[in-house]
Amino acid sequence: MGLIRLQNISRRYQMGTETIHALRDVSLEIERGEYVAIMGPSGSGKSTLMNLIGCLDTPTDGAFELNGNKVSEMDDNELAEIRNREIGFVFQSFNLLPRSSALHNVELPLIYSGMNAEERRKVALDTLENVGLTDRMHHKPNEMSGGQRQRVAIARALVNKPSIILADEPTGNLDTRTGVEIMALFADLSRKGNTLIVVTHEEDVAKHARRILRIRDGQIASDEKV
Amino acid sequence: MNFFVELKEGLGISWDAIRANKLRSGLTTLGIIIGIVTVTLMGTAIDAFNRAFLQSVSAIGADVLFVQRFGWFIDSDEEWVKAERRPQITLAQAREVERQMTLAQAVAPKAETRASVKYKNRSSNMVNVIGTTEQFLLTGGVIVVAGRFFTPGEADGGRPLCVLGANVATNLFPDEPAVGNKIRLGGAALEVIGVLEKQGEFMGPFSADNEVIIPMQQFITSFFAQPDVQIQVKVTDLRLLEDAKEELRGVMRKIRHVAPADEDNFGIDQQEMFIKLFNRVAGRIAAVGFFITGLSLFVGGIGIMNIMFVSVAERTREIGIRKAIGAKRRTILLQFLIEAASICLLGGLLGLAIAWPLTLVMGRFMPARMSPFVVAIALLVSLLTGVVSGFFPAWRAARMNPVDALRNE
Ligand SMILES: Nc1ncnc2c1ncn2[C@@H]1O[C@H](COP(=O)(O)OP(=O)(O)O)[C@@H](O)[C@H]1O
Ligand SMILES: [Mg+2]
């Protein structure tokens, strides 16, 4: 059975009298250990899909199961717990807490999972080391480059050892060279057995992945293994 | 999730937030500071007022019963009209009480009027003139600081003497001792044989400071041939106060020939009743005071609520991030409640810091001191204001949808 199962998922937004169909009747399964790239034009529904898989949002219609949990039936607090335990989310705009150090940003998911201070520090430091940022741990986000910030964000996504890592255009705010470095980091994570779903515009970014999902007008246009 | 970890994180966040917006936090706190200063001063003042009153009132003597034609507390016109028809209490009755009472340690008649006193070219208008006996020294709660009080013989005899209250003495004799000089009162020249200790402001009309005390015989000669007197009865033992009161009532009914079916035609009062009345008045003063205080805290609380809404709006994205990585509603709620409570508690501490010297100033006029109880109340109130006024904004933050919150720029 798949790690992620979407069955006839729809997500509609109501804008005044107009209804926007961001996702229409999407069904999808993703197995443990897969590395999936999601591609498609702007406004096609990629972020909407990622937010649903990341349990940040709930579908208007359809059923969604993650690791055996029926997410589409969960309440706010249960979703928060799932996000904390099962999901590592990497955003285009990093979304770090501006007043906190890199270390504290990485520690945050562990604080919310209730880990004690000593263990927390150790785990966070290990994770920061994995992304090569030990020497920047006391820096605030505005004292770091874009690439470094995204590494902190990736460390934060990894720190709770989630079932899936989701990245919504993680290289969108980075220059090409840094983007390549970040994608190499994802490739490395995939090799270590993590499940990854990455939204991207760039074909050569997508070539790291072993499955490419193309989305158009809120529907899956193609789903190919490479 | 571990509550203390959350609490610690929440404290850290709110401390950062307060520091990042020092001016704004400071201005918001102002409302709370003012509220807490009022609470503290109000509490301290009421406490001091009570204490001063009790100190003064105990000078009247807790073990003294006061018999007079009118009771101290007349509630209706009807009662007043009834009391008006009562016969006077005479000196003879006072002597009879003294003779018959077994539970009395001292019995003094007290007749009163107002008159002017003069010494050389200085005068005091409308002082209280008291005609009484030597026993008044025991029943009246007065203390002689210079000279002496009159003797039993002098009380009944014709020698023109007087004892002055503290204020009368200082008015007439600003720069010479009063004792030994002669003052003019009610057409007679009276030798001052003693001066009383000052009793203080809180006694009001009960204070002996504005009195001139003269022997009863002198009072009869100079003012009224048949005065209506108050009888002051000091009981032998405070624990027997109620028994003594009953005995006194019986004696009075007998000597005034009150028929068994009739009501008393006199009143017996004691200090306790006076304290009861005071407590009623003080209770009202406190209620008004705390209403005003509550109002200022309410305004302060509204300020906190307002600033917390601003803080939540500003940090929508931060809320989104926290929720995205696993913060629950409770966590976010707690975070903002802690922030509001911290601002208010800070305000409370500053308020106490300001109220402290003010209390010291107040202490020069009345026995005021900032009690630990008042401090605890002030801190509790400020904490509560924070939690109450922070709740609605915090609740709004806690309920945010993470996707919407993250979209916020
Ligand atoms: N919160 C929202 N309210 C209204 N419309 C939305 C909202 N989020 C997304 N949409 C709309 O849904 C569609 C898909 O958006 P999105 O998933 O962000 O596309 P993508 O990430 O592929 O660019 C777009 O038309 C977008 O305008
Ligand atoms: Mg998008």
Side-chain angles (χ1 to χ4, degrees):
Chain A
M1 199 173 102
L3 178 64
I4 295 169
R5 276 160 61 106
L6 283 77
Q7 287 176 308
N8 310 101
I9 290 282
S10 293
R11 182 66 171 98
R12 293 185 291 274
Y13 294 107
Q14 198 67 41
M15 296 285 279
T17 55
E18 196 187 350
T19 306
I20 297 162
H21 294 265
L23 286 180
R24 306 164 193 260
D25 205 23
V26 171
S27 294
L28 174 68
E29 257 186 65
I30 294 172
E31 303 295 328
R32 202 176 289 278
E34 276 195 275
Y35 185 176
V36 183
I38 298 178
M39 303 192 68
S42 181
S44 56
K46 306 181 296 292
S47 294
T48 306
L49 180 61
M50 289 295 266
N51 290 341
L52 285 173
I53 297 174
C55 301
L56 291 171
D57 197 6
T58 45
T60 318
D61 285 318
F64 169 35
E65 264 180 47
L66 191 155
N67 212 358
N69 302 300
K70 289 200 170 58
V71 175
S72 43
E73 289 166 16
M74 285 183 174
D75 69 19
D76 217 61
N77 278 335
E78 291 168 320
L79 286 174
E81 223 163 277
I82 290 282
R83 288 196 290 270
N84 184 254
R85 232 181 25 230
E86 307 279 354
I87 312 281
F89 215 117
V90 179
F91 302 89
Q92 179 177 351
S93 50
F94 320 129
N95 277 341
L96 298 174
L97 295 184
R99 282 197 293 267
S100 302
S101 67
L103 183 61
H104 191 253
N105 266 290
V106 175
E107 275 188 87
L108 212 52
L110 302 175
I111 290 175
Y112 292 141
S113 66
M115 192 182 279
N116 70 50
E118 215 175 303
E119 204 179 337
R120 203 164 71 206
R121 172 105 351 160
K122 193 178 152 293
V123 173
L125 282 174
D126 282 351
T127 316
L128 270 176
E129 197 183 337
N130 283 345
V131 298
L133 274 181
T134 310
D135 55 335
R136 291 285 186 277
M137 64 179 186
H138 294 304
H139 290 228
K140 303 248 164 86
N142 63 3
E143 299 160 348
M144 288 185 281
S145 71
Q148 287 168 337
R149 287 186 215 182
Q150 199 58 301
R151 281 166 192 272
V152 175
I154 292 169
R156 182 181 65 186
L158 292 173
V159 77
N160 252 357
K161 310 207 164 36
S163 315
I164 337 159
I165 294 155
L166 302 170
D168 192 350
E169 301 192 40
T171 59
N173 281 8
L174 303 175
D175 60 60
T176 318
R177 216 185 50 132
T178 318
V180 169
E181 280 171 30
I182 293 294
M183 288 320 290
L185 191 56
F186 279 117
D188 191 41
L189 289 175
S190 169
R191 263 196 302 282
K192 286 176 178 159
N194 291 289
T195 311
L196 265 77
I197 307 175
V198 180
V199 172
T200 181
H201 279 305
E202 295 160 58
E203 292 289 341
D204 55 324
V205 167
K207 75 174 184 259
H208 289 280
R210 269 164 281 147
R211 180 175 170 189
I212 297 178
L213 216 66
R214 288 181 201 277
I215 296 193
R216 198 173 302 274
D217 291 330
Q219 285 175 310
I220 298 177
S222 73
D223 181 355
E224 47 187 306
K225 299 241 160 74
V226 290
Chain B
M1 195 191 323
N2 191 323
F3 182 75
F4 287 102
V5 175
E6 264 183 62
L7 197 70
K8 198 160 157 255
E9 171 76 2
L11 278 171
I13 297 165
S14 55
W15 184 238
D16 281 348
I18 291 168
R19 266 200 328 193
N21 300 296
K22 278 193 205 76
L23 183 65
R24 193 172 80 185
S25 310
L27 287 174
T28 312
T29 310
L30 213 58
I32 300 298
I33 294 178
I34 292 170
I36 291 303
V37 169
T38 348
V39 167
T40 315
L41 292 185
M42 192 75 71
T44 308
I46 287 171
D47 182 48
F49 190 60
N50 277 332
R51 210 128 27 86
F53 175 80
L54 287 179
Q55 265 171 25
S56 299
V57 99
S58 65
I60 301 176
D63 52 355
V64 178
L65 297 166
F66 301 84
V67 188
Q68 54 261 306
R69 192 147 68 100
F70 309 116
W72 283 353
F73 310 102
I74 293 182
D75 291 330
S76 64
D77 286 349
E78 197 186 335
E79 261 183 75
W80 183 256
V81 169
K82 231 188 265 173
E84 279 282 357
R85 267 181 273 158
R86 293 173 176 175
Q88 284 195 0
I89 296 177
T90 64
L91 273 172
Q93 289 170 5
R95 273 192 292 273
E96 212 37 44
V97 167
E98 187 176 359
R99 206 174 61 78
Q100 294 188 18
M101 280 291 289
T102 57
L103 293 173
Q105 183 189 340
V107 175
K110 180 187 174 192
E112 234 177 311
T113 189
R114 281 173 168 257
S116 303
V117 282
K118 263 179 131 171
Y119 173 67
K120 291 186 180 160
N121 58 346
R122 300 183 68 87
S123 67
S124 279
N125 289 326
M126 301 301 270
V127 299
N128 268 355
V129 180
I130 310 280
T132 188
T133 65
E134 79 292 344
Q135 305 228 359
F136 186 70
L137 194 55
L138 291 172
T139 63
V142 293
I143 296 166
V144 178
V145 286
R148 57 180 182 84
F149 208 73
F150 32 82
T151 62
E154 286 166 342
D156 299 331
R159 265 191 72 200
L161 307 168
C162 70
V163 174
L164 301 184
N167 288 352
V168 179
T170 43
N171 274 347
L172 294 183
F173 303 94
D175 35 40
E176 60 182 303
V179 176
N181 285 306
K182 285 200 160 124
I183 61 162
R184 292 204 65 82
L185 170 70
L190 308 176
E191 185 189 338
V192 180
I193 59 164
V195 175
L196 300 179
E197 188 185 59
K198 195 169 171 66
Q199 289 189 323
E201 311 297 332
F202 273 90
M203 298 284 287
F206 289 84
S207 169
D209 294 347
N210 276 320
E211 288 176 353
V212 175
I213 301 173
I214 61 178
M216 187 52 95
Q217 194 51 53
Q218 184 66 44
F219 189 88
I220 290 169
T221 315
S222 295
F223 298 100
F224 302 108
Q226 282 170 336
D228 183 18
V229 300
Q230 178 192 63
I231 307 174
Q232 302 191 342
V233 179
K234 187 182 173 77
V235 301
T236 45
D237 185 339
L238 184 57
R239 281 165 298 181
L240 297 178
L241 190 68
E242 283 309 311
D243 295 339
K245 195 173 173 178
E246 266 320 295
E247 189 193 13
L248 181 57
R249 185 161 164 253
V251 169
M252 283 300 290
R253 284 179 73 91
K254 197 168 74 194
I255 59 185
R256 282 165 75 83
H257 309 296
V258 181
D262 288 352
E263 298 176 15
D264 292 348
N265 60 3
F266 53 90
I268 302 178
D269 291 295
Q270 66 217 65
Q271 197 207 99
E272 199 180 281
M273 299 163 92
F274 197 60
I275 291 174
K276 266 189 208 143
L277 177 78
F278 170 80
N279 282 342
R280 220 160 61 204
V281 174
R284 273 182 213 154
I285 293 173
V288 170
F290 283 115
F291 176 73
I292 294 168
T293 307
L295 214 60
S296 73
L297 272 172
F298 180 73
V299 172
I302 296 283
I304 296 288
M305 190 183 284
N306 190 34
I307 218 66
M308 288 311 294
F309 271 126
V310 172
S311 182
V312 167
E314 271 179 2
R315 281 149 68 194
T316 302
R317 201 183 171 81
E318 177 194 320
I319 296 164
I321 296 170
R322 290 181 185 276
K323 294 202 96 174
I325 59 176
K328 291 181 187 156
R329 281 188 180 181
R330 188 188 70 189
T331 316
I332 303 291
L333 186 77
L334 192 70
Q335 174 189 330
F336 283 97
L337 280 184
I338 290 174
E339 185 170 327
S342 304
I343 292 178
C344 287
L345 207 57
L346 222 62
L349 288 171
L350 286 172
L352 284 175
I354 293 172
W356 169 246
L358 293 178
T359 319
L360 291 185
V361 172
M362 211 151 78
R364 302 171 70 165
F365 307 106
M366 46 175 119
R369 51 162 196 246
M370 204 192 256
S371 67
F373 179 71
V374 168
V375 170
I377 287 286
L379 291 179
L380 198 73
V381 162
S382 56
L383 199 69
L384 219 65
T385 311
V387 171
V388 169
S389 52
F391 191 83
F392 193 32
W395 179 240
R396 179 183 275 192
R399 291 190 42 143
M400 276 183 188
N401 173 323
V403 179
D404 293 338
L406 282 170
R407 274 168 175 268
N408 188 277
E409 280 309 319

